[in-house]
Amino acid sequence: MAVKSKPALPRVGIVGLGIMGGTMAEALLQQGYTVCGCDIDAKALARLKRAGGVCMGSAADVASHSDVVIVSLSTSQALAHVTQSIAAVPKSQWAHKPIVIETSTLPMADKDACANALGKLGIVTLDAPISGTAVRIKERAWTFFVSGKETAHRKVLPVLQVFTDKVSFVGPYGNGTKMKFAANHLVAIYNVAYAESVTLARKMGLNPQDVLDLFGHSPVLGTGVMRLRMPMMLERKYSPPTMKVEVWQKDMQVIGDMAKSVDCPTPLFSTCAAIYTSAMAMGLAMEDTASTAEVISVMAGLAPAKGRSKKSVKP
């Protein structure tokens, strides 16, 4: 009896090799996938090359050499540039058409524009943001919110399962981003709530480590955000960041804009926004969002962390 050969793994391209994209590229390479990618940052390209990937000069080059393309970008301008690069290739020149998985957290209008432009070439785009940080991929703790054509979702599912078992199909294109907005809305509040809790413990004379030890794994009070960010708050060290305050400001903006567009009041979220703005003013832009604890500490009159100067904070 002839033995059936194992089907070849799809070729995967990564457009945007930052914290998330670079982590995905390395995970795929470790599982035997052929991976190519592009980025404007030479250091990101060098990281891909060291891991065994192939560096490309443009998003169009990546797409033309891939069966699946994962897009991971931080700005709408970057997504527009990537879309333009791919869409500039005439439809007749596509020997095969990859499935594009757009994972960025960006305004819905910008993601719609990408899908529509690529759709004219016959390229299917899935809207599939990720809930989770790069460091949590080792725990397989990511969640993908996949939306779009369900047939395309089924085709790319094995690729996404390299990163996590939590791959949820949430319906029509755009639902993935809306679900990510709902998730990050909660994270924005959690970060500030835990910063406030740590500061309250310190002001009351408690050891805030005891707060984490007692509450971190509580089925009622504990969350993954608490377990990820409260240790940074306890040490008052916020680098290397899992999510930079500067990048988070973009997420805060798009979530707030979405809430306004659907006439939804978000009083807790709106209050939290000022804390992140204060973190920017305190020079914490490139540090983790756990650094909101420094803002609350200054408001509470606590001494600044070692090596930091005390700045005025007006949230």
Side-chain angles (χ1 to χ4, degrees), residues 216-229:
H217 292 280
S218 164
V220 177
L221 299 174
T223 70
V225 178
M226 175 185 278
R227 294 187 291 273
L228 175 66
R229 298 224 158 88

Side-chain angles (χ1 to χ4, degrees), residues 88-233:
V89 180
K91 190 173 182 179
S92 60
Q93 292 186 19
W94 289 95
H96 75 284
K97 299 180 179 68
I99 295 174
V100 173
I101 307 172
E102 214 301 303
T103 68
S104 314
T105 303
L106 297 170
M108 205 57 250
D110 299 322
K111 302 192 79 165
D112 283 338
C114 172
N116 291 335
L118 299 186
K120 293 177 181 178
L121 299 173
I123 295 174
V124 174
T125 302
L126 292 170
D127 169 40
I130 304 163
S131 180
T133 61
V135 296
R136 301 203 71 196
I137 193 173
K138 296 177 182 178
E139 306 165 18
R140 297 186 63 78
W142 283 6
T143 299
F144 278 89
F145 303 121
V146 185
S147 60
K149 289 189 176 180
E150 193 165 6
T151 52
H153 163 252
R154 287 196 293 269
K155 288 180 180 178
V156 304
L157 184 58
V159 173
L160 299 182
Q161 287 176 330
V162 169
F163 315 120
T164 180
D165 299 315
K166 303 178 184 71
V167 181
S168 301
F169 182 74
V170 295
Y173 186 91
N175 277 10
T177 285
K178 293 172 185 176
M179 197 67 73
K180 179 63 184 296
F181 287 168
N184 279 8
H185 165 268
L186 285 173
V187 172
I189 296 168
Y190 285 157
N191 287 339
V192 176
Y194 300 138
E196 192 170 297
S197 180
V198 166
T199 304
L200 176 62
R202 286 184 173 129
K203 291 288 287 189
M204 293 191 299
L206 293 175
N207 181 351
Q209 181 66 54
D210 292 339
V211 174
L212 178 58
D213 292 343
L214 289 170
F215 300 163
H217 292 280
S218 164
V220 177
L221 299 174
T223 70
V225 178
M226 175 185 278
R227 294 187 291 273
L228 175 66
R229 298 224 158 88
M230 195 174 278
M232 298 184 193
M233 296 175 180

Side-chain angles (χ1 to χ4, degrees), residues 231-287:
M232 298 184 193
M233 296 175 180
L234 300 183
E235 294 185 17
R236 303 182 79 173
K237 294 180 180 178
Y238 311 106
S239 291
T242 63
M243 169 57 73
K244 296 175 183 177
V245 173
E246 182 179 69
V247 176
W248 189 249
Q249 288 289 77
K250 176 264 299 180
D251 285 14
M252 297 290 289
Q253 181 68 46
V254 296
I255 295 168
D257 289 346
M258 172 59 80
K260 289 177 184 177
S261 73
V262 295
D263 297 324
C264 181
T266 55
L268 291 178
F269 178 82
S270 298
T271 299
C272 288
I275 303 300
Y276 294 100
T277 301
S278 295
M280 294 285 290
M282 289 174 63
L284 300 166
M286 304 308 290
E287 300 197 50

Side-chain angles (χ1 to χ4, degrees), residues 17 22 25-26 29-30 35 41-55:
L17 296 164
E26 291 174 350
L29 287 162
Q30 289 168 6
V35 178
D41 185 353
K43 291 181 179 179
L45 291 172
R47 175 185 174 187
L48 175 65
K49 187 174 181 180
R50 286 195 302 271
V54 178
C55 299

